[in-house]
Amino acid sequence: MIAILYLVTVFGKLHHSLKTIKDFMKPVLLFATLLVFISQGIKAQSLAQTRCDNFKQGVNLSNWLEAYWDGNWPEPNTYSKEFLINMKAAGINSVRMPVCFALVTADTAPYRVDTANRVFELIDSVISWTADLHMKLIIDNHHEWNITDGTWRTQLPRLEHLWAVLAQRYSYLDPNQYFFEILNEPNNISNDSLLLMYPPVIDTIRQYAPGQSIIVSPTNWSGGFGYYQYGHLADTNLIYTLHSYDPFNFTHQGLSWVNPPLTSGVPYPGSIYDVILPETWALAIQWRDSLQLPMFLGEFGVGIGADANSRCNWIDTLGKMIDEYHLSAFHWDVTGDFRIFYSGVPTQDSVIPCFKQAMHLYGDTVSGIRNNDDLTGISIYPNPNNGFFTCTNPDNYETMVDIFDNTGRRIYNHTFSSRLLINGTSWAKGFYVVKITAQGASRFNKIVIE
């Protein structure tokens, strides 16, 4: 809107200085062209948001086409059209298909992509199944790229060529139903480098699939911390993704493939790591809301190494956050290490009840948002502050305050009823998470010490 008003002003000044119809028409045409360009950008952004919202409930086709460690990769085929029919019956609208394209892309110029590989036949099968079932599908470039701050410039031509091949091969797909994700979980690379690397790849895709909504994410495994001081890209038809496995020490405990292995027996809630989850989400949601950009939860899950009660507590928390922030969400696993069913056959009788409720499966539409109206009167001020700040509770019931630093370590604990003055002047400058607990409910707030 600011740009439009600016153009109107410029146009007005030009109008008074022009003496012929021909001279008058030049800025008129320029003005009209710029208005079309601006309106198309606004429309594209709105379209990307609509497409993002339409993902709704989703699952990943995990441990299949990205499982390069499997000696029979990309076989055995652990997914079928029947599986997707079962997912559709459960209320799943969308699937994300991680593919290890690095294994079929040569690592030297001209970076030949082996489209005769069996993996492409399997991708085409999934495209056909989702078309028949009217499900959304994300084609995700997963694993084995070794893209870091030191290597991205040399890896970029290879990544560009892969996406030139993929975008040309799949240019016929309906952009309202099919989506491209450039790179899964960037790590060991700065956001500054990513913001330089993505545009050439996006431009390459646009040559063959100009209307495609393309999925990107920040560093730090696409987690919430990656969105801290993350910029954004100029292309207006992008969708951003968030991955959430926090706290990692809880969600990945006891899993044999995690290296180094994590200690088992970590509960949820009840460990020093609990605060990491709301902290990472706060950063991502603040980024989304401040820039008004589309975002969805591309991966989340809790492993079977955690006890059953804690798994339910965690998915209950995630479900409430997904509902509160109106996110489409794709669970990572279905019947494997992050399973949401008791058996290997996904049916309504075998779904774990707490996952059914949290993910709104099989017609469960009860909102996961808990009514915390009894905590809304509790205030924390000033924020930001110089280390001195106050908590007040006008209703005078017992309230517990826990404060955690940005590593998840609890540094403060106190119980009060009416008013509590906190002296944090000895703490380092930065952000902290305050957990308020009262009357069986909890609330998290971020504070900043300057």
Side-chain angles (χ1 to χ4, degrees):
M1 183 58 70
I2 294 174
I4 293 174
L5 292 174
Y6 173 76
L7 289 172
V8 169
T9 302
V10 172
F11 172 71
K13 292 178 180 178
L14 285 170
H15 170 68
H16 289 295
S17 64
L18 296 171
K19 299 177 181 176
T20 69
I21 296 295
K22 182 178 179 181
D23 289 338
F24 177 73
M25 289 306 297
K26 287 180 181 179
V28 169
L29 291 173
L30 175 62
F31 178 64
T33 301
L34 289 171
L35 279 179
V36 170
F37 175 78
I38 292 169
S39 65
Q40 285 179 339
I42 295 171
K43 181 180 178 182
Q45 184 60 74
S46 175
L47 179 62
Q49 182 66 64
T50 299
R51 289 171 173 173
C52 180
D53 292 341
N54 285 340
F55 286 147
K56 300 180 182 178
Q57 287 90 351
V59 295
N60 283 264
L61 300 182
S62 54
N63 303 316
W64 181 28
L65 297 184
E66 92 287 0
Y68 64 89
W69 54 85
D70 191 318
N72 295 320
W73 182 90
E75 303 288 2
N77 185 343
T78 54
Y79 291 97
S80 64
K81 187 174 183 178
E82 182 181 6
F83 172 85
L84 291 186
I85 291 172
N86 289 335
M87 288 295 96
K88 184 87 174 188
I92 296 299
N93 304 86
S94 307
V95 289
R96 177 174 179 258
M97 179 170 53
V99 183
C100 196
F101 286 113
L103 294 190
V104 295
T105 306
D107 55 11
T108 56
Y111 309 110
R112 177 179 174 271
V113 179
D114 182 12
T115 55
N117 191 286
R118 165 77 165 144
V119 71
F120 284 95
E121 180 182 345
L122 296 173
I123 292 170
D124 291 343
S125 294
V126 177
I127 289 173
S128 175
W129 301 339
T130 51
D132 290 345
L133 295 169
H134 305 289
M135 301 175 81
K136 307 290 190 295
L137 174 66
I138 297 171
I139 299 174
D140 159 47
N141 177 30
H142 213 88
H143 288 325
E144 294 299 283
W145 279 90
N146 187 33
I147 293 178
T148 67
D149 279 322
T151 64
W152 74 265
R153 288 179 177 83
T154 56
Q155 286 283 2
L156 180 58
R158 183 176 178 233
L159 189 65
E160 285 183 274
H161 181 68
L162 167 67
W163 277 110
V165 171
L166 296 180
Q168 189 169 10
R169 181 182 178 92
Y170 301 120
S171 61
Y172 70 94
L173 295 175
D174 181 354
N176 289 312
Q177 187 174 2
Y178 297 92
F179 303 82
F180 300 151
E181 185 169 345
I182 291 178
L183 183 66
N184 175 68
E185 294 189 347
N187 196 42
N188 296 321
I189 182 171
S190 68
N191 280 328
D192 289 343
S193 295
L194 284 174
L195 293 173
L196 292 173
M197 185 191 76
Y198 281 138
V201 182
I202 293 168
D203 290 343
T204 297
I205 294 173
R206 291 276 178 255
Q207 293 179 37
Y208 306 101
Q212 196 73 39
S213 293
I214 300 169
I215 297 169
V216 295
S217 63
T219 190
N220 197 61
W221 311 100
S222 306
F225 282 127
Y227 281 97
Y228 179 63
Q229 293 186 334
Y230 182 48
H232 68 284
L233 294 155
D235 191 297
T236 57
N237 196 6
L238 301 179
I239 298 174
Y240 295 82
T241 186
L242 168 69
H243 290 187
S244 184
Y245 294 100
D246 295 315
F248 190 84
N249 303 68
F250 165 72
T251 62
H252 283 64
Q253 64 181 298
L255 299 179
S256 61
W257 45 269
V258 175
N259 187 24
L262 296 171
T263 303
S264 298
V266 179
Y268 187 87
S271 79
I272 62 172
Y273 308 111
D274 291 353
V275 71
I276 297 174
L277 181 59
E279 186 175 305
T280 56
W281 274 63
L283 294 170
I285 297 302
Q286 182 179 30
W287 180 90
R288 181 198 70 170
D289 292 349
S290 64
L291 295 172
Q292 293 293 294
L293 292 172
M295 175 186 286
F296 73 103
L297 188 59
E299 289 185 22
F300 68 104
V302 52
I304 56 176
D307 69 87
N309 187 58
S310 290
R311 291 190 79 220
C312 281
N313 291 339
W314 187 87
I315 196 63
D316 176 66
T317 300
L318 259 286
K320 291 170 181 173
M321 295 168 76
I322 290 168
D323 288 349
E324 180 179 357
Y325 297 118
H326 306 289
L327 288 175
S328 295
F330 291 67
H331 196 271
W332 171 247
D333 207 342
V334 178
T335 58
D337 283 347
F338 293 84
R339 69 190 60 159
I340 60 178
F341 292 88
Y342 287 121
S343 70
V345 180
T347 66
Q348 185 167 357
D349 292 334
S350 65
V351 67
I352 302 172
C354 58
F355 285 86
K356 173 178 178 287
Q357 182 178 22
M359 295 173 62
H360 304 305
L361 303 177
Y362 299 104
D364 191 325
T365 58
V366 177
S367 174
I369 303 174
R370 179 169 56 185
N371 186 355
N372 280 347
D373 289 344
D374 53 344
L375 299 185
T376 57
I378 300 175
S379 300
I380 304 172
Y381 61 89
N383 189 20
N385 59 73
N386 62 1
F388 283 108
F389 55 101
T390 300
C391 293
T392 60
N393 183 353
D395 294 322
N396 298 322
Y397 51 74
E398 187 174 90
T399 303
M400 183 167 69
V401 176
D402 291 294
I403 300 178
F404 303 84
D405 64 16
N406 60 13
T407 69
R409 180 174 60 94
R410 186 170 69 176
I411 60 173
Y412 183 89
N413 170 262
H414 198 82
T415 300
F416 74 103
S417 296
S418 177
R419 184 174 183 274
L420 175 65
L421 176 64
I422 299 172
N423 181 356
T425 54
S426 63
W427 304 342
K429 294 180 179 180
F431 67 87
Y432 296 81
V433 174
V434 180
K435 179 181 180 182
I436 303 292
T437 304
Q439 299 193 346
S442 295
R443 191 186 88 193
F444 292 91
N445 291 84
K446 185 174 77 171
I447 61 166
V448 177
I449 296 179
E450 296 179 335

